[in-house]
Amino acid sequence: MFTQKRLRWLTILSSLPLFGMVTAFGISPQSTSFQTLPPERKIIQTLSLPEVTISADSNSTYWHQENIRRGDTIAAILTRLEINQQDKADFIHAAKDSKAMRQLKPGEVIHAETTGDGELLTLRYFYGNGEQFLMEKIDDAFEISEQSAEAASRIRVGSGVIESSLFAATDAAGLSNNIAIQIANIFASDIDFYRDLHKGDRFTVVYETFHDDERNTHRSRVLAVEFINKGKSYRAVYFQAPGEEGDYYTPTGESLRKPFLRAPLEFSRISSGFSNARFHPILKQWRAHRGIDYAAPKGTPVMATADGVVEYSGWQNGYGNLVILKHHGEYSTAYGHLSGFKKGLRKAGRVKQGDVIGYVGATGMATGPHLHYELRINGVQRDPSKIIMPAAAPISKKNRTAFHRETKELVARLDLMRNTNFASAQ
């Protein structure tokens, strides 16, 4: 009995230090402050990452499509295709006698096969009348041929509504950029596709596509198009008289190829308009601005707005690098702030409408890259948007019957699409 009581007391006494320790961790005295804790420090340490090497497969090849732009050269197209300098130079030399490469048609498509490091393997260009330019790299040499291409054609239609830009609208309608470029070129003398477009403008297009046996699209050509801009309808149909080049006309036979383009740049925007009083950003004073400024990246090709002769090319005061073209009658145009001139441009040399004459820059009195463009009548600057230009020659009498017979169905398709779109909008 005594032994059991003694054992119980020894157990209780031996447990007291354990209970005291638990109490010390479980209850904090009221005077304890967290300020006694070590201060927080931010530690930034650079950790080295293992090197990752991405190996390019030199055997992989890629097919590209590149639209031909107004004033394009094959050198510019090869640059956009990112062809290496050696192949670029070799191809230009090999194709120097090619008629197809000298007469690139805006809106058509170049097809190219390349490697990942920019080696050019194959290049195809279907340049009209069933003709194909073909280049193939064989044993490190370019083999070139120009031959007939077997292609089947299909007539298609499409329509769209402008929400932000022509390219966005054609994309939304499932049409290629090639079609957008053709539409812009067709109406280039009537519609400025940067300044004149409005949300809600509409277009309907009838176009022809050419395919090979494998259903690959070689090219597309607009046959008829209607563009409704700010409520006004513009229509065009394609017609090619025997032995002549095809062109676009109104359904009544009036030519859409005006003597002057509305703008000297493709798809640019006006940064400063024609004005009798504008605050000059460099001179810091109010003065007349006798031209139109088009904002565009440095190096953007500048086109002649009409056929003419080079009257001046060089440096001139605030204009910087300047080109002046003399046109028919009392008309002339000036192109200022250029970064450079088109190679081969010389005084008294002839240029055609749409030819590249120079490149956008910021030379002279310019705060940034843009083109200063002037239309002059008898040497006096005039506002191009307020001048009514003479029209080009209409369909000749000998071709008028054939014109109406061949374009009648195209106009009917435009009418059908317009009525369909109108009904669906109700």
Side-chain angles (χ1 to χ4, degrees):
M1 184 70 178
F2 172 78
T3 303
Q4 292 178 348
K5 287 183 179 181
R6 184 181 179 185
L7 182 60
R8 187 182 299 118
W9 278 104
L10 287 173
T11 303
I12 294 172
L13 290 173
S14 63
S15 300
L16 286 176
L18 180 61
F19 292 145
M21 183 173 64
V22 172
T23 302
F25 279 97
I27 301 174
S28 299
Q30 294 295 326
S31 61
T32 301
S33 171
F34 287 104
Q35 294 178 356
T36 61
L37 298 175
E40 180 181 334
R41 290 189 300 163
K42 181 184 289 186
I43 300 175
I44 300 176
Q45 183 176 356
T46 302
L47 301 177
S48 60
L49 297 176
E51 293 186 1
V52 178
T53 303
I54 300 176
S55 58
D57 184 358
S58 59
N59 295 322
S60 298
T61 63
Y62 310 89
W63 277 99
H64 311 268
Q65 288 189 181
E66 185 63 42
N67 291 316
I68 300 174
R69 305 171 185 174
R70 186 189 296 271
D72 242 342
T73 63
I74 189 59
I77 294 173
L78 294 175
T79 297
R80 294 202 298 273
L81 288 168
E82 299 182 350
I83 303 302
N84 65 53
Q85 290 299 318
Q86 186 61 56
D87 276 10
K88 180 179 175 181
D90 290 346
F91 176 83
I92 292 174
H93 177 75
K96 65 180 186 300
D97 296 325
S98 168
K99 180 180 179 182
M101 291 293 100
R102 292 196 307 269
Q103 299 180 358
L104 300 175
K105 297 182 179 180
E108 300 293 0
V109 178
I110 296 283
H111 302 260
E113 182 187 18
T114 70
T115 65
D117 58 1
E119 181 183 1
L120 181 60
L121 302 177
T122 308
L123 188 141
R124 285 195 182 97
Y125 169 41
F126 298 88
Y127 56 93
N129 299 322
E131 297 299 315
Q132 174 190 211
F133 171 93
L134 175 63
M135 182 286 297
E136 295 179 290
K137 194 173 193 180
I138 302 175
D139 296 330
D140 294 327
F142 290 129
E143 300 288 339
I144 292 176
S145 63
E146 298 185 21
Q147 56 195 5
S148 297
E150 296 295 331
S153 66
R154 293 182 62 184
I155 305 298
R156 301 172 182 268
V157 296
S159 62
V161 180
I162 303 297
E163 295 292 336
S164 57
S165 69
L166 177 60
F167 279 115
T170 52
D171 284 344
L175 302 172
S176 68
N177 287 347
N178 171 267
I179 296 295
I181 291 172
Q182 290 186 62
I183 292 174
N185 287 337
I186 290 167
F187 295 121
S189 296
D190 294 309
I191 303 172
D192 185 324
F193 280 85
Y194 261 94
R195 183 172 62 173
D196 293 343
L197 287 193
H198 284 67
K199 186 175 182 179
D201 288 351
R202 309 181 67 89
F203 66 86
T204 298
V205 60
V206 181
Y207 62 102
E208 185 177 23
T209 59
F210 297 87
H211 305 267
D212 59 21
D213 292 337
E214 298 177 357
R215 308 301 298 160
N216 296 315
T217 301
H218 292 163
R219 59 191 177 92
S220 301
R221 179 174 62 196
V222 171
L223 299 178
V225 58
E226 179 179 37
F227 200 99
I228 300 176
N229 174 236
K230 294 182 286 188
K232 182 178 180 180
S233 172
Y234 297 87
R235 282 188 165 193
V237 291
Y238 179 82
F239 175 72
Q240 182 174 10
E244 300 179 14
E245 288 190 7
D247 212 338
Y248 292 91
Y249 301 85
T250 68
T252 58
E254 300 298 321
S255 176
L256 287 173
R257 188 176 293 279
K258 302 291 194 302
F260 284 83
L261 300 176
R262 286 290 300 275
L265 299 176
E266 276 188 343
F267 297 106
S268 183
R269 67 178 179 84
I270 291 177
S271 56
S272 185
F274 193 97
S275 173
N276 291 322
R278 183 195 70 154
F279 188 76
H280 198 283
I282 295 179
L283 299 178
K284 305 299 182 184
Q285 58 179 298
W286 291 91
R287 59 185 297 178
H289 186 248
R290 302 295 190 180
I292 295 179
D293 289 350
Y294 292 89
K298 181 180 178 181
T300 300
V302 175
M303 302 178 296
T305 53
D307 296 347
V309 175
V310 179
E311 188 173 68
Y312 178 86
S313 64
W315 185 275
Q316 190 175 112
N317 302 326
Y319 287 102
N321 288 325
L322 173 71
V323 171
I324 299 177
L325 302 180
K326 183 70 175 69
H327 307 291
H328 180 71
E330 66 270 34
Y331 297 98
S332 62
T333 52
Y335 312 77
H337 304 314
L338 302 176
S339 62
F341 307 104
K342 178 68 181 295
K343 186 177 180 180
L345 192 76
R346 66 185 187 279
K347 187 174 181 178
R350 292 192 170 275
V351 296
K352 298 183 67 175
Q353 185 183 76
D355 283 353
V356 173
I357 57 174
Y359 306 92
V360 170
T363 56
M365 294 175 60
T367 57
H370 71 280
L371 171 72
H372 177 81
Y373 172 71
E374 294 180 1
L375 171 67
R376 301 174 179 180
I377 300 179
N378 291 323
V380 179
Q381 298 98 329
R382 303 289 295 273
D383 187 348
S385 65
K386 296 181 180 179
I387 300 298
I388 299 177
M389 298 296 184
I395 288 289
S396 62
K397 289 184 178 179
K398 69 175 183 178
N399 292 324
R400 189 165 292 275
T401 300
F403 170 80
H404 288 297
R405 181 179 66 250
E406 294 182 21
T407 62
K408 182 178 180 180
E409 182 181 350
L410 296 175
V411 174
R413 286 176 180 262
L414 290 180
D415 289 337
L416 178 62
M417 288 296 294
R418 175 194 269 190
N419 293 335
T420 301
N421 291 336
F422 180 80
S424 63
Q426 300 303 305

